[in-house]
Amino acid sequence: MEEKLIPDIVVGRLPLYLRALQHMTNEGRQVTSSQELGERLGISAAQIRKDLSQFGEFGKQGTGYHIDFLQDQIRKILKVDRVWSVAVVGAGDIGSAVAAYQGFANRGFQVTMLFDNSPAKIGKKIGNFTVLDIATLEETIRKEGIQVAMITVPADQAQAVADLLVKAGVKAILNYAPLSLNVPSEVRVQNTDPATHLQRMTYYLD
Amino acid sequence: MEEKLIPDIVVGRLPLYLRALQHMTNEGRQVTSSQELGERLGISAAQIRKDLSQFGEFGKQGTGYHIDFLQDQIRKILKVDRVWSVAVVGAGDIGSAVAAYQGFANRGFQVTMLFDNSPAKIGKKIGNFTVLDIATLEETIRKEGIQVAMITVPADQAQAVADLLVKAGVKAILNYAPLSLNVPSEVRVQNTDPATHLQRMTYYLD
DNA sequence: TAGATTGTTAATCGATTAACAATC
DNA sequence: TAGATTGTTAATCGATTAACAATC
């Protein structure tokens, strides 16, 4: 049923559109246009229309887009019209922070497990989570059918954790460790490394 | 002295090259090639050579690149051959975690200040930091000449904080709040929103 | 109707890759 | 020397933008 091949760069912009639309809903807005969306996001109106047109016709000439309707459509496209269970591996500062993060609500995700390998942490409470033993990760994740995980362990353990997650059936990994993970091509990885992000900006400073 | 205009997408890959080279150094390696780097990073060898050639000739035919030398060159290009002072605004879970993050060492950054607006936090110790009053932000950042900051406040306060940082002279912002910031064109922003990253991957799941 | 804005096509622009002479 | 790998050019590929007929 997936007819067309959509460029990944287009898929990558949809979450930004969705976020802006949710923001507009919070402001009590009903209708928007490609131009307004573009101004908010720093993206051209033509590009937004082109991106959306890959998936269907969601607007009306002369009027624009109904915000609620477009939101629903993008949620379906991105498959965040449901709640994905997320496992967090690594109960350090970052892992604890993302496990407690309030920002996943209404965006399609709920952290349901927090793993670590440290005997000092296993079994202890961190926020609402009881830290689980990483030795039980594969079995637990497979049993629950979890497909989404975040890696928040130190760099030297991240690849081993990734291997374990892949073995357990995880198909999408958000990696906070500062290195490039090696995974099979059917597994998606997104990296978020604060030093890398900052280094990308210092080039432009004096 | 900046002769050529370098595409931002090229600048964005340099931190990845640098990270891989640092990793190789840790493994005790001396020499690498565009092919090896490419395999590690999932980038074509041709692209790596092309990217590097924008800045100079760093390799030798038949041999490849001296890792230490190339690292030094990229550090200079990215201006991380020095240590940038970084201000963190927002002393919640995420702000506290990035303020304590060990991964900035040797990558050009040191968090030196942690701000918040909550009377319950101001003056208290969080890790090695005494939380500073956001009311003093502009003056303090300007006096110290800080150009790099991270925003880790809730979404509804992020734009106001960004405005304040820009007024204080900050030129590079790493934004953890889930919204698009509006800043003048001379200020760089990088966004990192876990829900957005995850939504970019669920499209490919079943 | 007049004005606004979509969806789409064609044109432009930019990025990636392939190929190879140069040379270590 | 023979083999390897660079830096660079030209070709290819893909993404963005401009423009406009369709139509609400």
Side-chain angles (χ1 to χ4, degrees), chain A residues 88 93-102 104 111 150 152 176, chain B residues 93-94 194:
Chain A
V88 175
D93 288 344
I94 298 174
S96 304
V98 300
Y101 184 54
Q102 296 303 302
F104 292 127
V111 176
M150 303 192 217
T152 53
Y176 283 83
Chain B
D93 287 344
I94 297 174

Side-chain angles (χ1 to χ4, degrees), chain A residues 116-192:
Chain A
D116 205 288
N117 67 354
S118 155
K121 290 179 182 165
I122 294 165
K124 298 280 172 18
K125 274 265 179 191
I126 292 189
N128 293 322
F129 299 92
T130 302
V131 178
L132 302 176
D133 189 339
I134 203 170
T136 68
L137 184 151
E138 190 182 343
E139 191 195 343
T140 312
I141 283 185
R142 191 190 301 279
K143 196 173 61 192
E144 300 283 330
I146 288 182
Q147 296 188 62
V148 182
M150 303 192 217
I151 296 181
T152 53
V153 301
D156 59 358
Q157 298 168 40
Q159 183 60 56
V161 168
D163 295 344
L164 195 56
L165 289 169
V166 169
K167 245 172 101 192
V170 164
K171 292 280 182 279
I173 296 175
L174 178 50
N175 174 38
Y176 283 83
L179 82 170
S180 297
L181 296 177
N182 240 267
V183 297
S185 63
E186 76 274 12
V187 177
R188 317 289 307 184
V189 176
Q190 289 280 302
N191 296 290
T192 175

Side-chain angles (χ1 to χ4, degrees), chain B residues 146-168:
Chain B
I146 287 181
Q147 296 188 63
V148 182
M150 303 192 217
I151 295 180
T152 54
V153 301
D156 60 358
Q157 299 167 40
Q159 183 60 56
V161 168
D163 295 345
L164 195 56
L165 289 169
V166 170
K167 245 173 101 193

Side-chain angles (χ1 to χ4, degrees), chain A residues 8 78-79 192 202 204-205, chain B residues 8 78-79 192 202 204-205:
Chain A
D8 181 63
L78 291 176
K79 303 202 177 83
T192 175
T202 46
Y204 299 97
L205 303 184
Chain B
D8 181 62
L78 291 175
K79 302 203 178 81
T192 174
T202 46
Y204 299 97
L205 303 183

Side-chain angles (χ1 to χ4, degrees), chain B residues 179-196:
Chain B
L179 82 171
S180 296
L181 296 177
N182 239 269
V183 297
S185 63
E186 76 274 12
V187 177
R188 318 289 306 185
V189 175
Q190 289 281 303
N191 296 291
T192 174
D193 170 6
T196 295

